[in-house]
């Protein structure tokens, strides 16, 4: 294929440029998604109040002002299934409710581990352990989306052998009309 042939050496420069552009556009897509979601969340609120109760309980004892600001920016990602992922992650992978058993623990445990490292780096004054775990879950989910756009481009190069169509496919993936719904789901891990 194109990625593993001698033609790759001459095309490494275009590949690097295209990958960087796809990363930039994918990150822009995630930022647009966050902006639209945050605006909608701020204006209309949310139907699922379980996350409000969950995060209120989790941050009452440890939350400072910066905790509340970060939580306000990220809480919209912790509704519906996100509440269960966050609960599994903040409880160290232990299932406390029957409904949580429907969720594979790898994603929450990865979020818990990365969140623990983030918490150690920034300290409790900046961000509580629970909020750093939520930030890690959001980072993993959206980082997986960006990575999957790059992998789609590379796969397109390999299968199609057409740089332009592969690039367009990656951009369409990043800016699909379903970008809002993909922002809040953990599906990106499996893309």
């Amino acid at each position: 294929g194109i990625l593993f042939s001698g033609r790759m050496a001459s095309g490494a420069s275009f590949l690097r440029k295209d990958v960087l552009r796809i990363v930039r556009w994918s990150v822009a897509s995630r930022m647009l998604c966050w902006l639209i979601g945050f605006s909608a969340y701020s204006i209309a609120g949310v139907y699922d109040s379980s996350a409000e109760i969950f995060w209120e309980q989790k941050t009452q004892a440890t939350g400072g002002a910066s905790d509340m600001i970060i939580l306000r920016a990220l809480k919209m990602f912790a509704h519906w299934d996100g509440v269960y992922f966050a609960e599994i992650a903040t409880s160290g992978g232990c299932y406390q409710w029957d409904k949580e058993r429907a969720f594979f623990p790898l994603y929450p445990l990865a979020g818990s581990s990365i969140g623990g490292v983030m918490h150690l780096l920034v300290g409790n004054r900046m961000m509580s352990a629970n909020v750093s775990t939520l930030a890690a879950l959001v980072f993993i989910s959206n980082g997986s989306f960006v990575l999957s756009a790059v992998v789609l481009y590379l796969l397109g190069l390999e299968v199609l052998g057409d740089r332009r169509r592969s690039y367009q496919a990656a951009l369409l993936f990043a800016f699909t009309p379903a970008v809002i719904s993909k922002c809040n789901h953990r599906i990106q891990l499996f893309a």
Side-chain angles (χ1 to χ4, degrees), residues 69-134:
I69 293 168
I70 295 166
L71 185 59
R72 172 105 168 107
L74 299 179
K75 192 167 41 171
M76 67 181 171
F77 296 109
H79 288 280
W80 305 105
D81 290 350
V83 174
Y84 295 110
F85 283 118
E87 176 61 36
I88 295 166
T90 57
S91 66
C94 297
Y95 293 102
Q96 297 179 350
W97 308 101
D98 287 341
K99 291 181 181 180
E100 292 173 358
R101 298 192 189 282
F103 301 100
F104 187 67
L106 182 61
Y107 171 63
L109 289 175
S112 180
S113 300
I114 293 172
V117 171
M118 286 173 56
H119 182 67
L120 287 174
L121 293 175
V122 299
N124 205 35
R125 289 184 185 182
M126 182 66 146
M127 196 174 358
S128 70
N130 292 327
V131 173
S132 62
T133 299
L134 175 60

Side-chain angles (χ1 to χ4, degrees), residues 15-31:
L15 181 68
R16 187 175 310 121
K17 287 178 186 176
D18 284 355
V19 167
L20 287 175
R21 285 191 304 182
I22 290 167
V23 167
R24 281 194 292 260
W25 281 113
S26 297
V27 169
S29 152
R30 302 293 82 206
M31 291 169 66

Side-chain angles (χ1 to χ4, degrees), residues 17-71:
K17 287 178 186 176
D18 284 355
V19 167
L20 287 175
R21 285 191 304 182
I22 290 167
V23 167
R24 281 194 292 260
W25 281 113
S26 297
V27 169
S29 152
R30 302 293 82 206
M31 291 169 66
L32 176 66
C33 176
W34 177 85
L35 182 64
I36 292 169
F38 184 76
S39 299
Y41 181 78
S42 297
I43 293 168
V46 69
Y47 176 74
D48 177 27
S49 62
S50 61
E52 304 297 324
I53 296 165
F54 171 76
W55 286 108
E56 188 175 300
Q57 291 173 350
K58 289 284 186 182
T59 57
Q60 264 182 346
T62 60
S66 61
D67 229 17
M68 292 300 137
I69 293 168
I70 295 166
L71 185 59

Side-chain angles (χ1 to χ4, degrees), residues 137-159:
L137 290 170
V138 170
F139 175 78
I140 291 168
S141 183
N142 288 288
S144 297
F145 177 87
V146 172
L147 181 62
S148 63
V150 171
V151 169
L152 177 66
Y153 169 71
L154 296 174
L155 181 65
L157 281 178
E158 186 70 27
V159 172

